[in-house]
Amino acid sequence: DAKTTQPNSMESNEEEPVHLPCNHSTISGTDYIHWYRQLPSQGPEYVIHGLTSNVNNRMASLAIAEDRKSSTLILHRATLRDAAVYYCILRDIGGSYIPTFGRGTSLIVHP
Amino acid sequence: KAGVTQTPRYLIKTRGQQVTLSCSPISGHRSVSWYQQTPGQGLQFLFEYFSETQRNKGNFPGRFSGRQFSNSRSEMNVSTLELGDSALYLCASSLERVRSYNEQFFGPGTRLTVL
């Protein structure tokens, strides 16, 4: 699987937008970009995924660069509940797929 | 709809013992994957089961095994426990096999401590 690079940690204030970056310069044309988050003492939770176009759902937006070598998860108004580790993952369309999670970004939200 | 459930939530064992962890996927989900999470290695894929067959396997020794039943419930077994097996073991389910375009739903995990 192609690798992703994320900052170890980021900080935000409550009710402000948060932009979490992810670099994936070796992404292939068939790799989907997935984001999961893990709140303290919980299992990971699906956030959003996309292939080429920007995506929106009730939790967040995913902005994908035109060359697909980077993407940004956007939380429009951070809440304290959004404090979590955010994982950016590439998923290949191939059959023998080994899910690979990196270290993720630890998001700290200040009240 | 009930989420993924894992039992037990906490477990303490001693070196050399074996342990069995259980996972009940979301109703209707046929794929169950297992992951190990440690502070040092992060989240690592163990294996995936679909239709009672292991479909994919991560890079773990043979002491780690699993199975899936006809109702999609899955168990994971670790034999001859080592101190390094102390970890959070997570189970994730999905409707179909894990692919590039589908999402997985994770359970809360079983915290295993090996003394």
Side-chain angles (χ1 to χ4, degrees):
Chain A
D1 284 334
K3 287 187 179 282
T4 62
T5 304
Q6 299 177 254
N8 289 334
S9 65
M10 290 186 65
E11 297 187 31
S12 173
N13 294 317
E14 203 174 6
E15 298 192 6
E16 289 184 356
V18 181
H19 291 233
L20 298 167
C22 181
N23 286 318
H24 28 78
S25 58
T26 60
I27 190 170
S28 74
T30 54
D31 282 335
Y32 278 73
I33 302 160
H34 285 244
W35 284 82
Y36 280 75
R37 72 179 185 181
Q38 187 171 20
L39 279 64
S41 303
Q42 294 188 28
E45 173 187 32
Y46 167 81
V47 178
I48 201 166
H49 76 276
L51 183 60
T52 55
S53 304
N54 294 345
V55 184
N56 299 296
N57 67 20
R58 63 174 181 82
M59 289 181 70
S61 295
L62 175 60
I64 301 172
E66 198 167 330
D67 64 5
R68 301 208 328 123
K69 293 186 177 183
S70 66
S71 61
T72 302
L73 179 71
I74 303 166
L75 306 179
H76 296 286
R77 289 183 65 203
T79 68
L80 297 178
R81 194 192 172 278
D82 291 322
V85 177
Y86 287 79
Y87 297 98
C88 169
I89 306 145
L90 299 184
R91 295 202 158 173
D92 187 22
I93 203 168
S96 293
Y97 162 67
I98 303 290
T100 304
F101 286 72
R103 289 299 186 166
T105 297
S106 179
L107 175 65
I108 300 165
V109 180
H110 299 288
Chain B
K1 190 184 270 191
V4 177
T5 57
Q6 292 187 247
T7 56
R9 292 293 311 278
Y10 302 91
L11 205 50
I12 299 175
K13 292 286 188 179
T14 56
R15 278 182 300 174
Q17 287 187 309
Q18 75 164 17
V19 66
T20 299
L21 311 181
S22 181
C23 172
S24 293
I26 292 172
S27 177
H29 284 198
R30 299 196 293 159
S31 167
V32 173
S33 297
W34 288 90
Y35 295 80
Q36 181 195 67
Q37 187 172 33
T38 61
Q41 298 298 319
L43 200 60
Q44 293 185 287
F45 172 77
L46 279 157
F47 28 64
E48 179 195 7
Y49 283 87
F50 180 81
S51 293
E52 302 177 62
T53 302
Q54 187 180 91
R55 303 291 179 158
N56 212 351
K57 190 177 191 305
N59 189 26
F60 279 83
R63 299 186 297 108
F64 292 81
S65 63
R67 59 177 177 169
Q68 186 180 34
F69 302 96
S70 59
N71 62 357
S72 295
R73 190 177 68 85
S74 176
E75 288 182 347
M76 191 194 92
N77 185 275
V78 187
S79 62
T80 319
L81 284 166
E82 300 177 359
L83 294 179
D85 297 333
S86 294
L88 180 67
Y89 289 89
L90 292 157
C91 165
S93 76
S94 56
L95 271 171
E96 299 294 336
R97 283 205 60 194
V98 177
R99 293 289 185 218
S100 57
Y101 46 81
N102 60 2
E103 61 189 270
Q104 289 185 290
F105 296 84
F106 283 80
T110 293
R111 172 73 62 185
L112 172 65
T113 302
V114 182
L115 302 176

